[in-house]
Amino acid sequence: MFASGIIISVLLYPEVCISDEWYNCDRSYVQWINMGMDLEDKMKKSLGSKTLLYPTPVWVVGTYDKDGKPNVMTIAWGGICCSQPPCVAISLRKATYSYGNIVERKAFTVNIPSEVHAGQADYFGLVSGKNEDKFAATGLTPIKSDIVDAPYVNEFPLILECRVIHTLEIGLHTQFIGEIIDVKADESILNEKGLPDIEKIKPIIFTPETRSYHKVGAYLGAAFSIGRNVRQ
Ligand SMILES: Cc1cc2nc3c(=O)[nH]c(=O)nc-3n(C[C@H](O)[C@H](O)[C@H](O)COP(=O)(O)O)c2cc1C
């Protein structure tokens, strides 16, 4: 970096730099040019129009098919989308078996797997319920929701039971907005206030494009709080 700054200095200010005064010449020319190049280095690189967002979740969507067979598929394109009524958005391709199930039953569950379930969650995203019984293959247990027309995975620690209230055609994916009618949680993942503790759930993070699974990291600070003193 310093060497390239010197070359540019010589090109721009030859009378100063190519002289006996080289070693004494005002170094601010060089510093000024280096500063410009540092800024250039720090400019963002365009990666194009891609689904690069971090983190994305690893969720397992539970549905019944027209014959009442329970199915599960993995999704990463999802997130909370309304507080009142409490809603979650999930995006599915029409080609999936689950898509037809949701259209038919107007209901689904969102099952949050723990780190220990990473293999099963990946499998649920590799094969289709059209061809395989994913519950039978993994030995996991489908439980019929008592509140919506969909099954959930008993072994997963946190479940959202959802009723479809909106469907949005986007492109390759169709977004289903599910109103969260109830949340079911294992006692073991609740904190002293009775709320789910992320460090006990140990949910999985998915990274688009690089396609890898990650663990959730350490506690960083209290939300709606640590920002109070940052004004300079
Ligand atoms: C980590 C991961 C994330 C995925 N996210 C989505 C998603 O958001 N939407 C989607 O349509 N398919 C997604 N898939 C692919 C489906 O899970 C896959 O097509 C599955 O076989 C569909 O199952 P089904 O045909 O039984 O419904 C994902 C797969 C993996 C492994």
Side-chain angles (χ1 to χ4, degrees), residues 71 73-77 91 93 97-98 125 127-129 134 213:
N71 188 45
M73 81 170 263
T74 303
I75 69 143
W77 292 177
S91 287
R93 283 164 300 114
Y97 196 50
S98 304
V127 300
S128 178
K134 300 189 214 181
Y213 298 118

Side-chain angles (χ1 to χ4, degrees), residues 141-175:
T141 319
I143 303 285
K144 184 172 172 35
S145 162
D146 52 8
I147 207 156
V148 299
D149 191 7
Y152 64 84
V153 183
N154 197 32
E155 289 79 1
F156 289 7
L158 190 66
I159 317 293
L160 311 187
E161 296 165 292
C162 306
R163 189 170 51 86
V164 175
I165 58 167
H166 294 292
T167 302
L168 180 64
E169 297 297 341
I170 304 175
L172 180 61
H173 287 73
T174 300
Q175 188 178 52

Side-chain angles (χ1 to χ4, degrees), residues 58 115 202-207 210-217:
V58 174
E115 289 164 13
K202 300 186 193 297
I204 306 163
I205 290 169
F206 172 70
T207 69
T210 50
R211 293 180 161 205
S212 51
Y213 298 118
H214 294 259
K215 298 178 180 192
V216 167

Side-chain angles (χ1 to χ4, degrees), residues 82-129:
C82 186
S83 306
Q84 203 49 253
C87 287
V88 62
I90 59 167
S91 287
L92 274 67
R93 283 164 300 114
K94 286 191 170 67
T96 63
Y97 196 50
S98 304
Y99 169 88
N101 294 354
I102 294 176
V103 169
E104 180 102 4
R105 303 275 179 154
K106 309 254 177 307
F108 60 88
T109 60
V110 173
N111 302 257
I112 289 94
S114 285
E115 289 164 13
V116 290
H117 305 120
Q120 287 127 338
D122 193 55
Y123 164 76
F124 292 155
L126 285 170
V127 300
S128 178

